[in-house]
Structure formats: structure tokens, C-alpha cells
PDB file of all heavy atoms in Angstrom:
ATOM      1  N   LYS A 177     226.276 136.275 130.100  1.00 97.00           N
ATOM      2  CA  LYS A 177     224.981 136.796 130.531  1.00 97.00           C
ATOM      3  C   LYS A 177     224.503 137.919 129.603  1.00 97.00           C
ATOM      4  O   LYS A 177     223.344 137.930 129.174  1.00 97.00           O
ATOM      5  CB  LYS A 177     225.052 137.290 131.977  1.00 97.00           C
ATOM      6  CG  LYS A 177     223.716 137.696 132.533  1.00 97.00           C
ATOM      7  CD  LYS A 177     223.800 138.047 134.008  1.00 97.00           C
ATOM      8  CE  LYS A 177     222.424 138.413 134.534  1.00 97.00           C
ATOM      9  NZ  LYS A 177     222.428 138.692 135.954  1.00 97.00           N
ATOM     10  N   ALA A 178     225.389 138.833 129.284  1.00 97.00           N
ATOM     11  CA  ALA A 178     225.022 139.944 128.397  1.00 97.00           C
ATOM     12  C   ALA A 178     224.689 139.446 127.000  1.00 97.00           C
ATOM     13  O   ALA A 178     223.733 139.926 126.366  1.00 97.00           O
ATOM     14  CB  ALA A 178     226.158 140.960 128.336  1.00 97.00           C
ATOM     15  N   ARG A 179     225.428 138.458 126.506  1.00 98.00           N
ATOM     16  CA  ARG A 179     225.173 137.941 125.159  1.00 98.00           C
ATOM     17  C   ARG A 179     223.861 137.163 125.107  1.00 98.00           C
ATOM     18  O   ARG A 179     223.132 137.240 124.114  1.00 98.00           O
ATOM     19  CB  ARG A 179     226.346 137.079 124.682  1.00 98.00           C
ATOM     20  CG  ARG A 179     226.210 136.587 123.271  1.00 98.00           C
ATOM     21  CD  ARG A 179     226.201 137.714 122.253  1.00 98.00           C
ATOM     22  NE  ARG A 179     226.121 137.147 120.912  1.00 98.00           N
ATOM     23  CZ  ARG A 179     225.495 137.708 119.901  1.00 98.00           C
ATOM     24  NH1 ARG A 179     224.930 138.885 120.031  1.00 98.00           N
ATOM     25  NH2 ARG A 179     225.469 137.112 118.738  1.00 98.00           N
ATOM     26  N   VAL A 180     223.546 136.412 126.150  1.00 98.00           N
ATOM     27  CA  VAL A 180     222.248 135.723 126.204  1.00 98.00           C
ATOM     28  C   VAL A 180     221.132 136.753 126.138  1.00 98.00           C
ATOM     29  O   VAL A 180     220.156 136.582 125.394  1.00 98.00           O
ATOM     30  CB  VAL A 180     222.121 134.833 127.467  1.00 98.00           C
ATOM     31  CG1 VAL A 180     220.684 134.383 127.681  1.00 98.00           C
ATOM     32  CG2 VAL A 180     223.032 133.617 127.355  1.00 98.00           C
ATOM     33  N   ALA A 181     221.266 137.840 126.888  1.00 98.00           N
ATOM     34  CA  ALA A 181     220.256 138.910 126.860  1.00 98.00           C
ATOM     35  C   ALA A 181     220.139 139.500 125.455  1.00 98.00           C
ATOM     36  O   ALA A 181     219.028 139.743 124.967  1.00 98.00           O
ATOM     37  CB  ALA A 181     220.606 139.991 127.877  1.00 98.00           C
ATOM     38  N   GLU A 182     221.265 139.719 124.780  1.00 98.00           N
ATOM     39  CA  GLU A 182     221.261 140.249 123.415  1.00 98.00           C
ATOM     40  C   GLU A 182     220.557 139.306 122.456  1.00 98.00           C
ATOM     41  O   GLU A 182     219.763 139.735 121.615  1.00 98.00           O
ATOM     42  CB  GLU A 182     222.691 140.478 122.919  1.00 98.00           C
ATOM     43  CG  GLU A 182     223.434 141.602 123.577  1.00 98.00           C
ATOM     44  CD  GLU A 182     224.914 141.614 123.189  1.00 98.00           C
ATOM     45  OE1 GLU A 182     225.324 140.898 122.245  1.00 98.00           O
ATOM     46  OE2 GLU A 182     225.664 142.346 123.844  1.00 98.00           O
ATOM     47  N   LEU A 183     220.859 138.019 122.563  1.00 98.00           N
ATOM     48  CA  LEU A 183     220.249 137.033 121.674  1.00 98.00           C
ATOM     49  C   LEU A 183     218.743 136.923 121.916  1.00 98.00           C
ATOM     50  O   LEU A 183     217.965 136.815 120.957  1.00 98.00           O
ATOM     51  CB  LEU A 183     220.932 135.675 121.829  1.00 98.00           C
ATOM     52  CG  LEU A 183     222.359 135.606 121.271  1.00 98.00           C
ATOM     53  CD1 LEU A 183     223.066 134.354 121.762  1.00 98.00           C
ATOM     54  CD2 LEU A 183     222.353 135.664 119.751  1.00 98.00           C
ATOM     55  N   LEU A 184     218.339 136.944 123.180  1.00 98.00           N
ATOM     56  CA  LEU A 184     216.905 136.899 123.480  1.00 98.00           C
ATOM     57  C   LEU A 184     216.206 138.126 122.893  1.00 98.00           C
ATOM     58  O   LEU A 184     215.133 138.006 122.293  1.00 98.00           O
ATOM     59  CB  LEU A 184     216.675 136.803 124.988  1.00 98.00           C
ATOM     60  CG  LEU A 184     216.977 135.441 125.604  1.00 98.00           C
ATOM     61  CD1 LEU A 184     216.928 135.521 127.125  1.00 98.00           C
ATOM     62  CD2 LEU A 184     216.018 134.382 125.089  1.00 98.00           C
ATOM     63  N   ASP A 185     216.816 139.277 123.039  1.00 98.00           N
ATOM     64  CA  ASP A 185     216.246 140.497 122.466  1.00 98.00           C
ATOM     65  C   ASP A 185     216.175 140.395 120.940  1.00 98.00           C
ATOM     66  O   ASP A 185     215.180 140.784 120.337  1.00 98.00           O
ATOM     67  CB  ASP A 185     217.083 141.708 122.886  1.00 98.00           C
ATOM     68  CG  ASP A 185     216.502 143.010 122.390  1.00 98.00           C
ATOM     69  OD1 ASP A 185     215.333 143.308 122.723  1.00 98.00           O
ATOM     70  OD2 ASP A 185     217.203 143.739 121.661  1.00 98.00           O
ATOM     71  N   LEU A 186     217.195 139.853 120.343  1.00 97.00           N
ATOM     72  CA  LEU A 186     217.259 139.707 118.888  1.00 97.00           C
ATOM     73  C   LEU A 186     216.100 138.872 118.340  1.00 97.00           C
ATOM     74  O   LEU A 186     215.589 139.151 117.254  1.00 97.00           O
ATOM     75  CB  LEU A 186     218.598 139.078 118.497  1.00 97.00           C
ATOM     76  CG  LEU A 186     218.912 138.966 117.015  1.00 97.00           C
ATOM     77  CD1 LEU A 186     219.056 140.359 116.387  1.00 97.00           C
ATOM     78  CD2 LEU A 186     220.187 138.174 116.812  1.00 97.00           C
ATOM     79  N   VAL A 187     215.679 137.863 119.104  1.00 98.00           N
ATOM     80  CA  VAL A 187     214.579 136.998 118.645  1.00 98.00           C
ATOM     81  C   VAL A 187     213.227 137.417 119.219  1.00 98.00           C
ATOM     82  O   VAL A 187     212.240 136.696 119.089  1.00 98.00           O
ATOM     83  CB  VAL A 187     214.861 135.504 118.942  1.00 98.00           C
ATOM     84  CG1 VAL A 187     216.106 135.032 118.202  1.00 98.00           C
ATOM     85  CG2 VAL A 187     214.975 135.232 120.436  1.00 98.00           C
ATOM     86  N   GLY A 188     213.171 138.575 119.866  1.00 98.00           N
ATOM     87  CA  GLY A 188     211.900 139.105 120.333  1.00 98.00           C
ATOM     88  C   GLY A 188     211.448 138.625 121.697  1.00 98.00           C
ATOM     89  O   GLY A 188     210.258 138.693 122.016  1.00 98.00           O
ATOM     90  N   LEU A 189     212.387 138.165 122.512  1.00 98.00           N
ATOM     91  CA  LEU A 189     212.068 137.761 123.883  1.00 98.00           C
ATOM     92  C   LEU A 189     212.766 138.706 124.855  1.00 98.00           C
ATOM     93  O   LEU A 189     213.626 139.491 124.468  1.00 98.00           O
ATOM     94  CB  LEU A 189     212.499 136.313 124.128  1.00 98.00           C
ATOM     95  CG  LEU A 189     211.765 135.260 123.291  1.00 98.00           C
ATOM     96  CD1 LEU A 189     212.396 133.888 123.480  1.00 98.00           C
ATOM     97  CD2 LEU A 189     210.289 135.214 123.635  1.00 98.00           C
ATOM     98  N   LEU A 190     212.391 138.625 126.108  1.00 97.00           N
ATOM     99  CA  LEU A 190     212.942 139.517 127.124  1.00 97.00           C
ATOM    100  C   LEU A 190     214.149 138.879 127.826  1.00 97.00           C
ATOM    101  O   LEU A 190     214.183 137.657 128.011  1.00 97.00           O
ATOM    102  CB  LEU A 190     211.873 139.846 128.166  1.00 97.00           C
ATOM    103  CG  LEU A 190     210.620 140.538 127.622  1.00 97.00           C
ATOM    104  CD1 LEU A 190     209.568 140.645 128.720  1.00 97.00           C
ATOM    105  CD2 LEU A 190     210.961 141.896 127.058  1.00 97.00           C
ATOM    106  N   PRO A 191     215.119 139.683 128.242  1.00 97.00           N
ATOM    107  CA  PRO A 191     216.290 139.138 128.946  1.00 97.00           C
ATOM    108  C   PRO A 191     215.916 138.325 130.185  1.00 97.00           C
ATOM    109  O   PRO A 191     216.569 137.325 130.496  1.00 97.00           O
ATOM    110  CB  PRO A 191     217.093 140.380 129.324  1.00 97.00           C
ATOM    111  CG  PRO A 191     216.709 141.392 128.317  1.00 97.00           C
ATOM    112  CD  PRO A 191     215.251 141.120 128.005  1.00 97.00           C
ATOM    113  N   GLU A 192     214.857 138.720 130.895  1.00 97.00           N
ATOM    114  CA  GLU A 192     214.466 137.971 132.097  1.00 97.00           C
ATOM    115  C   GLU A 192     213.924 136.576 131.783  1.00 97.00           C
ATOM    116  O   GLU A 192     213.795 135.738 132.673  1.00 97.00           O
ATOM    117  CB  GLU A 192     213.471 138.762 132.952  1.00 97.00           C
ATOM    118  CG  GLU A 192     212.264 139.273 132.236  1.00 97.00           C
ATOM    119  CD  GLU A 192     212.414 140.710 131.726  1.00 97.00           C
ATOM    120  OE1 GLU A 192     213.542 141.185 131.523  1.00 97.00           O
ATOM    121  OE2 GLU A 192     211.387 141.347 131.521  1.00 97.00           O
ATOM    122  N   HIS A 193     213.634 136.292 130.517  1.00 98.00           N
ATOM    123  CA  HIS A 193     213.202 134.951 130.126  1.00 98.00           C
ATOM    124  C   HIS A 193     214.323 133.923 130.284  1.00 98.00           C
ATOM    125  O   HIS A 193     214.067 132.724 130.295  1.00 98.00           O
ATOM    126  CB  HIS A 193     212.694 134.944 128.686  1.00 98.00           C
ATOM    127  CG  HIS A 193     211.374 135.623 128.524  1.00 98.00           C
ATOM    128  ND1 HIS A 193     210.984 136.202 127.349  1.00 98.00           N
ATOM    129  CD2 HIS A 193     210.347 135.818 129.391  1.00 98.00           C
ATOM    130  CE1 HIS A 193     209.780 136.725 127.484  1.00 98.00           C
ATOM    131  NE2 HIS A 193     209.371 136.502 128.721  1.00 98.00           N
ATOM    132  N   ALA A 194     215.559 134.386 130.421  1.00 98.00           N
ATOM    133  CA  ALA A 194     216.698 133.478 130.566  1.00 98.00           C
ATOM    134  C   ALA A 194     216.591 132.600 131.805  1.00 98.00           C
ATOM    135  O   ALA A 194     217.166 131.513 131.848  1.00 98.00           O
ATOM    136  CB  ALA A 194     218.000 134.284 130.608  1.00 98.00           C
ATOM    137  N   ASP A 195     215.837 133.039 132.811  1.00 98.00           N
ATOM    138  CA  ASP A 195     215.712 132.277 134.056  1.00 98.00           C
ATOM    139  C   ASP A 195     214.569 131.256 134.039  1.00 98.00           C
ATOM    140  O   ASP A 195     214.363 130.557 135.021  1.00 98.00           O
ATOM    141  CB  ASP A 195     215.510 133.229 135.238  1.00 98.00           C
ATOM    142  CG  ASP A 195     216.733 134.079 135.501  1.00 98.00           C
ATOM    143  OD1 ASP A 195     217.858 133.578 135.308  1.00 98.00           O
ATOM    144  OD2 ASP A 195     216.568 135.253 135.881  1.00 98.00           O
ATOM    145  N   ARG A 196     213.861 131.167 132.946  1.00 97.00           N
ATOM    146  CA  ARG A 196     212.716 130.249 132.852  1.00 97.00           C
ATOM    147  C   ARG A 196     213.106 128.935 132.191  1.00 97.00           C
ATOM    148  O   ARG A 196     214.165 128.801 131.593  1.00 97.00           O
ATOM    149  CB  ARG A 196     211.586 130.890 132.052  1.00 97.00           C
ATOM    150  CG  ARG A 196     210.997 132.115 132.716  1.00 97.00           C
ATOM    151  CD  ARG A 196     209.804 132.583 131.928  1.00 97.00           C
ATOM    152  NE  ARG A 196     209.272 133.839 132.440  1.00 97.00           N
ATOM    153  CZ  ARG A 196     208.269 134.480 131.879  1.00 97.00           C
ATOM    154  NH1 ARG A 196     207.696 134.013 130.785  1.00 97.00           N
ATOM    155  NH2 ARG A 196     207.837 135.608 132.404  1.00 97.00           N
ATOM    156  N   TYR A 197     212.174 127.972 132.277  1.00 96.00           N
ATOM    157  CA  TYR A 197     212.339 126.660 131.651  1.00 96.00           C
ATOM    158  C   TYR A 197     211.535 126.613 130.352  1.00 96.00           C
ATOM    159  O   TYR A 197     210.549 127.347 130.201  1.00 96.00           O
ATOM    160  CB  TYR A 197     211.849 125.562 132.595  1.00 96.00           C
ATOM    161  CG  TYR A 197     212.728 125.395 133.807  1.00 96.00           C
ATOM    162  CD1 TYR A 197     212.422 126.047 135.004  1.00 96.00           C
ATOM    163  CD2 TYR A 197     213.863 124.595 133.766  1.00 96.00           C
ATOM    164  CE1 TYR A 197     213.221 125.908 136.125  1.00 96.00           C
ATOM    165  CE2 TYR A 197     214.676 124.444 134.883  1.00 96.00           C
ATOM    166  CZ  TYR A 197     214.345 125.102 136.056  1.00 96.00           C
ATOM    167  OH  TYR A 197     215.140 124.967 137.160  1.00 96.00           O
ATOM    168  N   PRO A 198     211.914 125.736 129.413  1.00 94.00           N
ATOM    169  CA  PRO A 198     211.214 125.667 128.123  1.00 94.00           C
ATOM    170  C   PRO A 198     209.698 125.466 128.232  1.00 94.00           C
ATOM    171  O   PRO A 198     208.944 126.036 127.442  1.00 94.00           O
ATOM    172  CB  PRO A 198     211.866 124.476 127.419  1.00 94.00           C
ATOM    173  CG  PRO A 198     213.209 124.366 128.023  1.00 94.00           C
ATOM    174  CD  PRO A 198     213.054 124.821 129.457  1.00 94.00           C
ATOM    175  N   HIS A 199     209.242 124.685 129.203  1.00 94.00           N
ATOM    176  CA  HIS A 199     207.808 124.413 129.290  1.00 94.00           C
ATOM    177  C   HIS A 199     206.983 125.653 129.648  1.00 94.00           C
ATOM    178  O   HIS A 199     205.771 125.644 129.523  1.00 94.00           O
ATOM    179  CB  HIS A 199     207.523 123.284 130.299  1.00 94.00           C
ATOM    180  CG  HIS A 199     207.671 123.702 131.735  1.00 94.00           C
ATOM    181  ND1 HIS A 199     208.887 123.645 132.388  1.00 94.00           N
ATOM    182  CD2 HIS A 199     206.769 124.192 132.617  1.00 94.00           C
ATOM    183  CE1 HIS A 199     208.706 124.088 133.630  1.00 94.00           C
ATOM    184  NE2 HIS A 199     207.436 124.427 133.796  1.00 94.00           N
ATOM    185  N   GLN A 200     207.643 126.717 130.049  1.00 96.00           N
ATOM    186  CA  GLN A 200     206.952 127.941 130.435  1.00 96.00           C
ATOM    187  C   GLN A 200     206.700 128.867 129.237  1.00 96.00           C
ATOM    188  O   GLN A 200     206.217 129.971 129.417  1.00 96.00           O
ATOM    189  CB  GLN A 200     207.758 128.680 131.509  1.00 96.00           C
ATOM    190  CG  GLN A 200     207.865 127.897 132.811  1.00 96.00           C
ATOM    191  CD  GLN A 200     208.742 128.589 133.828  1.00 96.00           C
ATOM    192  OE1 GLN A 200     209.954 128.663 133.665  1.00 96.00           O
ATOM    193  NE2 GLN A 200     208.117 129.099 134.868  1.00 96.00           N
ATOM    194  N   PHE A 201     207.000 128.394 128.046  1.00 95.00           N
ATOM    195  CA  PHE A 201     206.841 129.193 126.835  1.00 95.00           C
ATOM    196  C   PHE A 201     205.889 128.527 125.855  1.00 95.00           C
ATOM    197  O   PHE A 201     205.731 127.312 125.862  1.00 95.00           O
ATOM    198  CB  PHE A 201     208.207 129.382 126.149  1.00 95.00           C
ATOM    199  CG  PHE A 201     209.181 130.173 126.959  1.00 95.00           C
ATOM    200  CD1 PHE A 201     210.065 129.544 127.822  1.00 95.00           C
ATOM    201  CD2 PHE A 201     209.217 131.554 126.876  1.00 95.00           C
ATOM    202  CE1 PHE A 201     210.973 130.266 128.570  1.00 95.00           C
ATOM    203  CE2 PHE A 201     210.117 132.290 127.631  1.00 95.00           C
ATOM    204  CZ  PHE A 201     211.000 131.650 128.481  1.00 95.00           C
ATOM    205  N   SER A 202     205.320 129.337 124.983  1.00 94.00           N
ATOM    206  CA  SER A 202     204.485 128.814 123.896  1.00 94.00           C
ATOM    207  C   SER A 202     205.397 128.157 122.862  1.00 94.00           C
ATOM    208  O   SER A 202     206.626 128.314 122.908  1.00 94.00           O
ATOM    209  CB  SER A 202     203.700 129.945 123.244  1.00 94.00           C
ATOM    210  OG  SER A 202     204.575 130.795 122.509  1.00 94.00           O
ATOM    211  N   GLY A 203     204.817 127.459 121.921  1.00 92.00           N
ATOM    212  CA  GLY A 203     205.600 126.815 120.873  1.00 92.00           C
ATOM    213  C   GLY A 203     206.419 127.808 120.063  1.00 92.00           C
ATOM    214  O   GLY A 203     207.579 127.569 119.743  1.00 92.00           O
ATOM    215  N   GLY A 204     205.808 128.948 119.733  1.00 94.00           N
ATOM    216  CA  GLY A 204     206.525 129.965 118.972  1.00 94.00           C
ATOM    217  C   GLY A 204     207.677 130.565 119.747  1.00 94.00           C
ATOM    218  O   GLY A 204     208.746 130.838 119.190  1.00 94.00           O
ATOM    219  N   GLN A 205     207.476 130.766 121.038  1.00 96.00           N
ATOM    220  CA  GLN A 205     208.552 131.292 121.871  1.00 96.00           C
ATOM    221  C   GLN A 205     209.686 130.281 122.004  1.00 96.00           C
ATOM    222  O   GLN A 205     210.863 130.643 121.992  1.00 96.00           O
ATOM    223  CB  GLN A 205     208.021 131.668 123.253  1.00 96.00           C
ATOM    224  CG  GLN A 205     207.130 132.891 123.243  1.00 96.00           C
ATOM    225  CD  GLN A 205     206.459 133.105 124.580  1.00 96.00           C
ATOM    226  OE1 GLN A 205     205.956 132.163 125.206  1.00 96.00           O
ATOM    227  NE2 GLN A 205     206.447 134.353 125.029  1.00 96.00           N
TER     228      GLN A 205
END
């Protein structure tokens, strides 16, 4: 869980994005 949050932060996304599905994001995200 902590590493997923770190990786999301590393690519410019928020840790809470981990609970979403791919269709809820733009192409760039």
C-alpha cells in the first residue's frame, strides 16, 4: 500500500487514486 502511494506520487498522481478504475482517468493519467 505504501509503495503504491509512493509510485503514484512519483508519476504525479494522488495516493487516493489507487481506489479508482482506469476509465475514471484521462489518457495522460
Side-chain angles (χ1 to χ4, degrees):
K177 186 174 182 177
R179 184 64 178 146
V180 167
E182 290 171 12
L183 289 166
L184 286 171
D185 183 58
L186 186 65
V187 298
L189 296 173
L190 300 173
E192 53 266 23
H193 288 153
D195 293 325
R196 295 186 186 177
Y197 291 95
H199 74 273
Q200 295 176 290
F201 295 92
S202 70
Q205 289 171 316

